[in-house]
Structure formats: structure tokens, C-alpha cells
Amino acid sequence: MKIIKNEKLIQRNGKIGQYVSLAALVVLGLGMYISFSRPELITYSVVCLVLGFIMSQVGMYMGSRWGKSPRPDEKLDAGLKGLHSEFNMYHYSSPVSHLLVGPSGVWALLPYHQRGKILYEKNRWKLKGGGFLQGYMRIFGQEGLGRPDLDAENEVNTLKKFFAGKMDEADIPEIKPLLIFTTDDVELEAGESPIAAVKLKQLKEFMRQGGKNRTLSNEKIKALTDILEQ
């Protein structure tokens, strides 16, 4: 598998996350100092504490995505390790964050890192369980599950618009989203989800099986990768 990765973007955003986290500590420290030494300035103390808390959340979020190893791109690379050389993986170097192009088609990969039970019911993805630690992490640093269905729709539309500006609309291949849950202890029940969803350890086999029912020829793969690597 060929991996194309925007290392400059990853390093830059990782550093930003570090700087924001450090700045958050300074602001929180200032808020605490004011609250103890200058109680008459309690309003300024509250502002500093609230601002510091928000900054700390931003720093933790950016750190988990861009700084802390293994990052999402590294997890996907590990999950796809050993895949055939016809596959091309693009991290932060295409219109979407993670794009896989190969014999099984064009896939917008959407990694999620939540723990607990993930299930699809009543036309919605839901996160349940995980105990006290899961609840704590939802407040302090771990991003919520959000709306994977809307995330997937946005990724597909973004890619369609990109390819529409580079090639005839009739030549644009089907673009398929894939939800990937990367934590080892996640419990996944995809039910009747219209969007495919797998655990990270199932990802490579999922793509291999799709490759057996080849949807893209070598010529089509090359045409798409030429566009993406311009």
C-alpha cells in the first residue's frame, strides 16, 4: 500500500496543540492566583478560569488528533498494513482527512475513538456504556460520537465536488464512506446502518474482500491518483 501523508500539516497542528495546552495552564494559573490574592477581582478570575478550561479542551482535542501517538492516521496505517500495493492511502493530502483508493473503490475513511457500546438504532448512531471513565472523558478531552451519518455525507459530497472540477461527471466513481472504530474494547452493533462500519482490526480484511469484487481498474486507479497527486 502506498501512503501519502501531509507531514507538515500534522507537525504544525501538533505544535499548535502543545502551545494551546501550555497557554491554558498559564491562564488557569492566573485565574487561581487572582482568586486567592485579589478576591475583589473575582470577575477576572472567573473569566480566566473559563477561558483556561476551554483552551485546555481544545489542546487535549488537538493533541489526541495531531500530537499523541498513535494518531488516527497511524492507527489506520496499522490496520491496513500489508494491503496490496494497488491501494493508495491519503492522509490530510486530499479534500478529506483520510481517503483510500484501490481495487475496492474510493473510500472516505472516518475513524472514531470512543469506548463503550456503539450501536445503530432508530436511524441514529448512539454511544452507550463505558462506565464512569467514559463519562469523565466525554467532559474532559474526548470528543463525542456526534453524527457519523452527517460526517459521512459531508465527506462524500466534498469528494464529489472535488472530482467534478477535475473530470467529467460521468467518470466520477462511486464514493463510499466507511466508519472505523479504533479502540480495542469498543462493542459495535451496526444493525441496519446504510453506512458500512467496522472495527479497526476488521479493516484490512474488509478491503481485501472488496478488492476481490474489483470495482476500479488499474487505469481508473491511476487516473484518480494522478488527479489527487497533482
Side-chain angles (χ1 to χ4, degrees):
M1 180 181 68
K2 181 180 179 182
I3 300 174
I4 300 91
K5 190 175 300 191
N6 190 339
E7 295 285 1
K8 290 183 178 179
L9 178 67
I10 293 171
Q11 293 176 7
R12 184 196 70 187
N13 287 351
K15 289 181 179 178
I16 291 174
Q18 292 177 351
Y19 296 149
V20 171
S21 294
L22 290 173
L25 292 176
V26 173
V27 175
L28 286 170
L30 179 61
M32 293 295 292
Y33 172 79
I34 293 174
S35 66
F36 287 111
S37 63
R38 301 290 298 277
E40 69 276 12
L41 301 178
I42 187 63
T43 301
Y44 294 99
S45 174
V46 171
V47 170
C48 287
L49 292 173
V50 171
L51 179 59
F53 176 78
I54 294 173
M55 292 172 65
S56 68
Q57 300 307 293
V58 172
M60 292 174 68
Y61 170 81
M62 294 193 69
S64 65
R65 175 160 294 194
W66 301 100
K68 185 179 178 181
S69 186
R71 303 184 308 263
D73 59 293
E74 294 173 330
K75 290 182 179 181
L76 293 177
D77 290 344
L80 291 168
K81 186 177 181 180
L83 203 59
H84 196 279
S85 59
E86 290 179 297
F87 284 88
N88 299 266
M89 183 76 243
Y90 297 87
H91 294 298
Y92 313 114
S93 55
S94 80
V96 297
S97 295
H98 310 285
L99 175 65
L100 183 65
V101 178
S104 61
V106 179
W107 293 90
L109 306 184
L110 293 92
Y112 293 89
H113 321 294
Q114 288 73 23
R115 294 176 173 82
K117 184 175 183 180
I118 310 286
L119 69 160
Y120 184 82
E121 63 178 12
K122 298 181 181 179
N123 300 318
R124 290 286 295 270
W125 283 96
K126 298 178 181 180
L127 171 61
K128 294 184 178 181
F132 172 79
L133 180 60
Q134 177 68 37
Y136 176 85
M137 289 302 293
R138 289 177 195 169
I139 300 174
F140 297 98
Q142 178 174 287
E143 59 187 294
L145 182 61
R147 291 288 303 274
D149 52 335
L150 296 183
D151 294 340
E153 182 181 351
N154 290 335
E155 297 271 285
V156 170
N157 289 338
T158 296
L159 283 169
K160 284 182 177 179
K161 290 179 181 179
F162 171 77
F163 285 122
K166 303 289 185 178
M167 60 199 305
D168 293 337
E169 187 172 348
D171 294 330
I172 299 175
E174 180 185 5
I175 299 168
K176 295 167 282 190
L178 177 63
L179 311 181
I180 304 160
F181 296 91
T182 64
T183 54
D184 294 333
D185 53 354
V186 69
E187 182 181 350
L188 177 62
E189 294 183 10
E192 298 181 356
S193 170
I195 304 170
V198 297
K199 295 182 181 181
L200 182 63
K201 61 184 179 182
Q202 301 168 327
L203 177 58
K204 181 166 63 176
E205 185 60 26
F206 180 91
M207 289 301 167
R208 280 179 170 170
Q209 292 299 322
K212 292 179 180 179
N213 304 316
R214 194 179 190 106
T215 60
L216 290 183
S217 65
N218 287 335
E219 293 75 17
K220 190 67 174 181
I221 293 173
K222 186 177 187 308
L224 293 170
T225 56
D226 285 346
I227 290 173
L228 288 165
E229 295 173 26
Q230 286 178 352

